[in-house]
Amino acid sequence: MLLSVIVPCFNEEGNIDLFYEETVKALGDLMPQTELIFVNDGSRDATLEKLRALCARARYRVKVVSFSRNFGKEAALLAGLRNSEGDFSVIIDADLQQNPAYIVDMMKILNEHPEYDAVAAYQEERREGFVISAFKKTFYKVIDSMTDVKIMQAASDFRLLRRPVVDAILSLPEKCRFSKGIFAWVGFETYYMPYKVEDRASGTSKWNFWKLMMYAFDGIIAFSNKPLIMSSVVGFFIVMLSILYLVVIVVKTILWGDPVAGFPTLACLILMLSGIQLLGIGILGQYLAKNYTESKGRPVYVVKEKIESTGMGSEQA
Ligand code: UDP
Ligand code: MG
């Protein structure tokens, strides 16, 4: 049995050594059958140097895949999965917000329950600001109502997957990758395990409100065509309304000789309609842009360097 631990890293210089130590401690007897795969996602700090040094001294199997620039966490996850050889693969953040000790629990669940193919950890209590938390809730509601895949609220990317699940994920050729949707799309039986998020060991989160917002849009567009249908439906209703309004004006003018209502009505209508049109074009544009990205067929990431430890470093036990 081999376990692959996939760790995306972007500017995590302060966490690499700590993460390694904690993981070795937490996994204990599992370590000899474990490979650690660090994906350096174009870090601009000393992350790569730290990883290099780790590879040189590690007693266990450590692989480093280093990108030519920052391609984003989704790309890093894909690279990690592609380079994993394990019968089990677990995805975990480098910042120790997700305690590696949970990996042991996850393995136990899969070993005891052959009917499950994956374990996804979800946060029992969210420790986020009110705005972000409300925003995330709304996002999951929207995406749930718009897509056919069921994305478990609060479930993170912290997951343990059996090999067939990894192979299924890797068989999807799309370039615009939204992991939460992909995990749900491939199916399989997933066990949801609660976990407690720790504070970041060092460094800062790479997410802000704007990035989350774009991520949410991407997710909806990657997994649903409903926004397109919605803009057509809105357009249809507006046409119906305007016909009705036209009839009202004509009837009023013929019956009562009312003068046609003036400039304010016109200005409001023009503003509203052009706004809706722009919205529709914008939605269309998003799909077109995604299609454009896919059709260019560029790779999701570019690897600059791969480093592998021999697993025979001088590190003390
Ligand atoms: N990460 C990455 N590429 C990025 C952003 C983040 O590989 O462009 C990694 C990061 O190093 C960390 C994980 O993804 O291991 C989660 O990132 P972060 O802690 O910033 O997110 P949060 O925990 O705040 O959701
Ligand atoms: Mg984090």
Side-chain angles (χ1 to χ4, degrees):
M1 193 249 5
L2 182 69
L3 168 69
S4 303
V5 179
I6 296 162
V7 197
C9 309
F10 176 52
N11 294 346
E12 303 282 6
E13 59 180 359
N15 294 324
I16 302 291
D17 291 341
L18 206 61
F19 177 86
Y20 180 75
E21 277 161 33
E22 290 294 318
T23 307
V24 169
K25 223 187 296 166
L27 292 188
D29 295 343
L30 277 176
M31 261 333 271
Q33 310 154 46
T34 298
E35 57 169 4
L36 295 179
I37 305 172
F38 291 93
V39 183
N40 173 36
D41 185 11
S43 300
R44 285 180 279 271
D45 62 1
T47 303
L48 185 58
E49 283 72 56
K50 291 268 178 194
L51 289 172
R52 233 188 271 278
L54 178 65
C55 265
R57 71 162 201 277
R59 272 199 318 141
Y60 300 105
R61 287 173 59 163
V62 179
K63 284 188 197 168
V64 175
V65 180
S66 188
F67 288 175
S68 59
R69 64 167 170 87
N70 180 251
F71 283 92
K73 189 180 172 186
E74 295 289 346
L77 291 187
L78 180 66
L81 289 173
R82 279 191 184 153
N83 283 280
S84 73
E85 290 166 44
D87 309 297
F88 298 89
S89 295
V90 61
I91 298 164
I92 184 167
D93 287 353
D95 55 11
L96 288 169
Q97 281 192 287
Q98 301 161 343
N99 192 334
Y102 285 115
I103 297 176
V104 180
D105 302 336
M106 289 172 152
M107 282 298 284
K108 214 168 136 204
I109 292 170
L110 285 197
N111 281 332
E112 284 174 6
H113 300 273
E115 70 273 23
Y116 285 111
D117 303 296
V119 182
Y122 70 91
Q123 297 182 30
E124 252 176 324
E125 41 179 310
R126 288 219 167 247
R127 291 168 55 190
E128 288 158 332
F130 175 75
V131 179
I132 295 272
S133 153
F135 172 76
K136 283 192 176 171
K137 258 198 199 130
T138 321
F139 164 66
Y140 284 111
K141 257 197 205 129
V142 172
I143 202 163
D144 241 17
S145 64
M146 283 200 175
T147 60
D148 298 331
V149 295
K150 271 270 164 285
I151 296 176
M152 161 84 175
Q153 233 207 66
S156 59
D157 291 340
F158 185 18
R159 278 160 199 264
L160 175 68
L161 314 165
R162 278 190 209 274
R163 191 73 228 172
V165 185
V166 174
D167 289 339
I169 292 170
L170 291 179
S171 73
L172 300 188
E174 61 217 67
K175 312 283 175 200
C176 305
R177 299 189 79 92
F178 178 69
S179 289
K180 282 189 171 41
I182 290 178
F183 290 138
W185 188 89
V186 294
F188 293 100
E189 293 304 319
T190 304
Y191 183 98
Y192 291 97
M193 182 189 92
Y195 84 109
K196 230 180 114 236
V197 184
E198 318 272 336
D199 284 331
R200 220 171 200 287
S202 106
T204 50
S205 169
K206 278 88 199 173
W207 293 96
N208 55 36
F209 184 75
W210 186 241
K211 271 197 171 171
L212 270 177
M213 190 92 156
M214 293 321 287
Y215 182 69
F217 276 136
D218 269 0
I220 292 172
I221 285 178
F223 276 86
S224 167
N225 293 334
K226 286 212 179 125
L228 285 176
I229 299 168
M230 260 164 45
S231 69
S232 314
V233 171
V234 171
F236 176 77
F237 276 110
I238 288 174
V239 170
M240 287 295 137
L241 266 179
S242 64
I243 291 175
L244 208 71
Y245 189 48
L246 192 81
V247 172
V248 170
I249 291 177
V250 169
V251 170
K252 264 169 79 178
T253 316
I254 291 173
L255 288 187
W256 294 287
D258 270 356
V260 177
F263 178 73
T265 329
L266 213 59
C268 286
L269 280 179
I270 289 174
L271 272 182
M272 188 180 86
L273 289 183
S274 46
I276 290 172
Q277 276 172 6
L278 277 182
L279 188 76
I281 295 173
I283 293 174
L284 202 66
Q286 285 297 316
Y287 284 92
L288 206 63
K290 286 276 176 273
N291 215 321
Y292 181 54
T293 311
E294 294 288 344
S295 68
K296 276 190 289 192
R298 289 184 183 165
V300 181
Y301 55 83
V302 176
V303 175
K304 185 175 170 196
E305 190 179 356
K306 274 191 192 181
I307 316 166
E308 234 170 280
S309 77
T310 54
M312 287 188 282
S314 57
E315 172 197 45
Q316 297 293 309

